[in-house]
Every structure is written in C-alpha cells, then in structure tokens.
Amino acid sequence: MFAKCCGATTLGVDGQIIDVEVDVANGLPGVEMIGLPDTMVREAKERVRTAVKNSGIKVMPQKVTINLAPAGIRKDSPGLDLPIAMAMMAAYGIISQESIEGNLFSGELSLEGQVKGVAGILPMAIKAKEMGFKGFFVAGENVNEALLVDGLAVYRVENLQGLIDYLNGKAVWEQSIPTEDEQEAKEEVEEDFADVQGQFVAKRAFEIAAAGGHNILLVGSPGAGKTMLARRLNSILPEMTLEEALEVTKIYSISGMLKKNSGLVTKRPFRSPHHTTSAAAMIGGGTIPHPGEVSLSHNGVLFLDELPEFSKQALEALRQPLEDGMVSIARVNASLTFPSRIILCCSMNPCPCGYYNDPEKQCDCSYQEIKRYNRKISGPLLDRIDIQIRVPRVTYKELTATERAESSVEIRKRVSAARNRQLQRLRKYGIVCNAQMTSSILKKTCKITKEAQQLLRAAFIEKSMSARSYDRIKKVAQTIADLEGSDEIKGIHLAEAIQLRDEIGV
C-alpha cells in the first residue's frame, strides 16, 4: 500500500518541504530509503522501527520503500523521523491518508516513541504558512518557535501513540498557545558605558559606529580598555525591529542555538570567536553549508579581539561579507546565501609586545617586527573598517574620578534618534543605516557643503585615499550630521570623520 506525508528540512535560512512517500509490499522484509538522505536521516528507519514497536503498535514485517522528494536535495534533519513514521502508519492502514493530508510534521523520535525537538522550526513554519498547510505538528520544546508565525495552527506532539490516537479521532487536541519558560524570566545584567571611566574619544567613536552601523577598529596598549569598551557596544544599539528579530531567530534556529522553549530573539547578537577560529567557521561551510560567525552576528556585533592573531584566511574571508552584507557559499550539494549585515568591532595591540608609542612603558620590538605584525592585517580589510582609532592608557585621575560617566541608556537615545533619521531617508532604498549605502545612494542622499567638499578634497590628496575610503569617510560624516540633527554634511562633521580614520601602522 502506498502513502504520502509532508515533512520539512532547511536549505540555507529557508525551509524546504519534503514529500515522504512510503510503499509497503509483499517481499523480503526490510526497509530501503532513497532520495539522497545523509547518515542522520538514513538512521531514521531504525529509530522509527523501534519507536513503533515500543509504542505497542504491531505491524507485519514486509518490504518497505521510503522515498524522500525532491531527490536532488540532500536531507540532513532528524525532524524527518515523525513524517516517515506517519507515512508508514498510513501505508500500513493504522491511520488514514486523509488524516495527514494538508498537515506538516517535524520531530525526532526516541526509541520509546517520544517526540523530541529539532533545529530549524521557524523557517519550516514560515514555509508551511506560505504553502498553505492547515496544521504543523511539532515537539513541545519547538511550540513557541513555531507560534512566531501568525495564522498557522500548531499542535504539540508528546509521543507517537498520542499522535496516532488524535489522527484516528480517539483524542481531542487544542491548538497550542505560547508558554513562558520560567528560566527565561531572569533578566541578564547588561554592561553599561557608565562603568567606563575616561576614554571620551573612544566612547564618541562607539556612539558614531552604533548610530550608522559602521565597522570600528581599536588600537592600544594592553589594559587600555579596548575589550571593555567593545563589550558595551550592544548596550547602545537601537532595539531590533520585528523583521530584524525574525531574521536573527531564523539563523539561530537552523543553527540549533535557540534556548529550549524559546520564542523570538529580541536582543541583538554579540559574537566573540576565539582567534583560532577557521575560515569555514567564520563565514560558514560544511557539506551542506551552515551559518558561520558572520551570519550568527547578523543585525548585531562581531567582535574580533587580538585581530592579528586570527589566521590570514579567516580575516580575508571577511572581505566579501563586509562589502555585500551576505555570504555566498558554493558546494557540490548546494549553493546558499546567508545574511551578514554586521558591525565588525576589532581590537589589536600596536606591536607584538603591545607598548609601541606607550608613554609609560618602553617598547622592545624592532622596526621590522612591528611592520611584520601590522602587515598581518591586509590593506583591503582595513579599507573596509570605517572608524580606526587609538585607545590611550587610562590615567589614575580618570580611574579614581567620582563623577559617574554617561550611561548607555542616554547614549542609546541619541543613537536611536539618528537611526530614525536614516530610516526615513533610506527606507525607499531598502536599507536602514548609513553604513549600508552604496556609492550611488550616497550621491543621491548626502548633501555636503562647499566647505566640507574642499576639506574632503584636500584629505583625499594628502592621504592618497582609495575610492572606498572616500565613500566611507562621507558615510561616517553623514552619521555625525545625523547625530547633530543636521540635514547636510558640514566641515566640522567631515573633519571629525577624517580624524576617526587614523592610519594604523608604524
């Protein structure tokens, strides 16, 4: 007997509907699975067989053929366990074909027949809504995630036998509603700029970076506070919009990084990978590509501490994502694109010992050692970092000051106001901040005074700027103007933007 059930997997950041076809016929008993399953999915036949037996369901040993369509896509989700089981039950006549039609199933089966949660439920739910499925059956821990999609009936499945009883009309289920996880009620203490004494230039640079979405590099001696400052960048970024939150939640969902029973990710990501991170881990990869650190930082911050210690391959791999706001990964099995609109925040020492040009400690590095150290960061990568500043050592007077510094809440108000100005100006181009402007959009939207244009011309000639550097200085100047509430870029705005792009090197 033939039966068909619909399951789902993920492809990039999107859901992919999988038709599970099962044929039960007379012949030598056994289960054959076709349709390009990987090892994880191929093992599903043993999990399903054992789960059916331990659920007290008796079936005749027959020849079972399972086909996963479309056949050209490699399947790698354990969430196909449940639709495979449902198609088998329909093929054996234990449930009717009509009871599973129009529904989507996703869940991993334990050997005793319990249904466990899987990664990637949100993109599957979005796809289910688009395809017009009337119901989505998922494990209890995935319910809140699936309910993020409005207009989709979501049902909580605890075990295989319970689902069969419901489909046969022996049990009545209500549609699921969001549940609150008690563990999530604890609020995380967010680090505040009020805790940072001194470093007024660096704080101003971070405010500009947050307001315009600009990349930033900090150079300074050990203990100057570079890492402390960087870890507070998230505290002044504006709240995510619903669209941004959904994008981030989708990425974390397919990566299996959502907390149990969690719903929408509302806090901007902050990722700080170790300097031993490989290029594949940085941008994503694998036989079936999965998101890397740049995509996990989407709509948030990617912080690279001790920048020169990262491998050259990992750093150079960042060039395309920083320029395009997306990562394109080509593999034999699939060519996928992951979003990567990030603020890249980096920190580094000025030399191997860390004390080049330090007023307090003597640097013992040779000229060649310093030059070799700085050359680990290529010119094209530095060219993509809008703000490059030196962070001086904090003085004793600044450390012992009793006056409390400006809080992150106060800075965020100015940042949000500047972002709102940008959104009104750039919404028609499909972007949200100045850092995302292309050269053509920059020419159309940025008004620059004659005085500022003359200053930019002089700086362009003196510093031998590239076209990219020219555009990035204008973007930073536009952000400074937005923070001030000005409709045009003035000379004072441009002068500050030029100062915030210090030349890093010997």
Side-chain angles (χ1 to χ4, degrees), residues 216-220 307-308 346-351 356-357 370-371 373-379 381-383 385-391 463 499-506:
I216 181 170
L217 170 64
L218 310 175
V219 182
L307 187 64
C346 310
S347 70
M348 62 180 285
N349 297 326
C351 66
Y356 177 66
N357 278 341
I370 299 173
K371 194 171 184 180
Y373 182 79
N374 285 321
R375 276 185 174 175
K376 291 182 179 181
I377 315 300
S378 70
L381 180 60
L382 281 174
D383 216 21
I385 300 178
D386 307 354
I387 300 173
Q388 302 172 23
I389 61 168
R390 297 183 183 272
V391 181
K463 292 178 176 287
Q499 288 178 336
L500 288 173
R501 195 177 175 88
D502 195 7
E503 293 295 330
I504 305 302
V506 183

Side-chain angles (χ1 to χ4, degrees), residues 197-492:
Q197 297 293 349
Q199 300 295 10
F200 301 108
V201 173
K203 288 179 183 177
R204 171 64 173 171
F206 272 102
E207 181 178 340
I208 295 168
H214 303 289
N215 303 322
I216 181 170
L217 170 64
L218 310 175
V219 182
S221 303
K226 303 185 296 295
T227 302
M228 186 182 185
L229 286 160
R231 292 193 178 280
R232 283 158 174 75
L233 177 54
N234 250 22
S235 67
I236 61 174
L237 290 173
E239 297 290 336
M240 283 197 293
T241 63
L242 178 60
E243 182 181 354
E244 288 176 327
L246 282 171
E247 289 175 350
V248 173
T249 306
K250 281 175 66 176
I251 294 169
Y252 276 71
S253 175
I254 64 175
S255 302
M257 298 177 65
L258 286 182
K259 295 179 181 178
K260 185 178 179 181
N261 295 325
S262 64
L264 196 67
V265 175
T266 56
K267 187 177 179 181
R268 289 187 182 273
F270 182 93
R271 302 287 299 177
S272 181
H274 193 259
H275 60 76
T276 56
T277 299
S278 66
M282 187 71 78
I283 66 167
T287 304
I288 299 178
H290 287 277
E293 291 293 338
V294 288
S295 296
L296 292 170
S297 309
H298 180 59
N299 289 328
V301 177
L302 176 62
F303 175 47
L304 302 184
D305 201 5
E306 303 298 341
L307 187 64
E309 302 304 323
F310 285 81
S311 70
K312 185 176 181 64
Q313 291 81 4
L315 293 180
E316 294 307 302
L318 291 172
R319 286 159 59 172
Q320 184 245 340
L322 291 177
E323 195 70 24
D324 301 336
M326 63 182 68
V327 178
S328 299
I329 304 173
R331 294 291 185 272
V332 173
N333 294 314
S335 296
L336 303 175
T337 299
F338 297 106
S340 60
R341 291 194 302 273
I342 63 171
I343 293 178
L344 177 65
C345 180
C346 310
S347 70
M348 62 180 285
N349 297 326
C351 66
C353 78
Y355 296 105
Y356 177 66
N357 278 341
D358 188 274
E360 304 292 334
K361 287 194 175 184
Q362 180 74 29
C363 171
D364 57 8
C365 302
S366 68
Y367 177 84
Q368 289 300 327
E369 286 176 328
I370 299 173
K371 194 171 184 180
R372 193 181 307 116
Y373 182 79
N374 285 321
R375 276 185 174 175
K376 291 182 179 181
I377 315 300
S378 70
L381 180 60
L382 281 174
D383 216 21
R384 288 166 167 82
I385 300 178
D386 307 354
I387 300 173
Q388 302 172 23
I389 61 168
R390 297 183 183 272
V391 181
R393 184 190 293 272
V394 181
T395 64
Y396 178 79
K397 182 179 179 181
E398 290 172 331
L399 279 175
T400 56
T402 56
E403 185 179 350
R404 187 171 172 81
E406 190 176 30
S407 71
S408 293
V409 173
E410 296 169 312
I411 300 173
R412 180 186 275 182
K413 288 179 182 177
R414 297 196 296 269
V415 168
S416 297
R419 280 285 183 108
N420 287 334
R421 288 178 61 88
Q422 294 167 46
L423 190 59
Q424 293 173 7
R425 184 173 64 245
L426 302 173
R427 183 185 285 114
K428 61 183 177 181
Y429 300 105
I431 56 178
V432 297
C433 63
N434 290 333
Q436 297 173 7
M437 289 191 293
T438 62
S439 182
S440 60
I441 296 175
L442 193 62
K443 291 176 182 177
K444 293 175 183 176
T445 59
C446 294
K447 301 175 183 177
I448 184 168
T449 63
K450 189 174 182 181
E451 174 199 7
Q453 190 64 57
Q454 290 174 345
L455 180 60
L456 183 57
R457 180 178 178 274
F460 183 86
I461 296 171
E462 182 183 343
K463 292 178 176 287
S464 301
M465 291 182 189
S466 66
R468 183 183 289 113
S469 296
Y470 173 84
D471 282 347
R472 289 184 181 272
I473 285 178
K474 283 183 67 176
K475 292 176 188 179
V476 174
Q478 180 63 66
T479 299
I480 296 170
D482 288 331
L483 282 166
E484 193 181 273
S486 173
D487 291 329
E488 58 183 4
I489 300 173
K490 300 176 182 177
I492 191 171

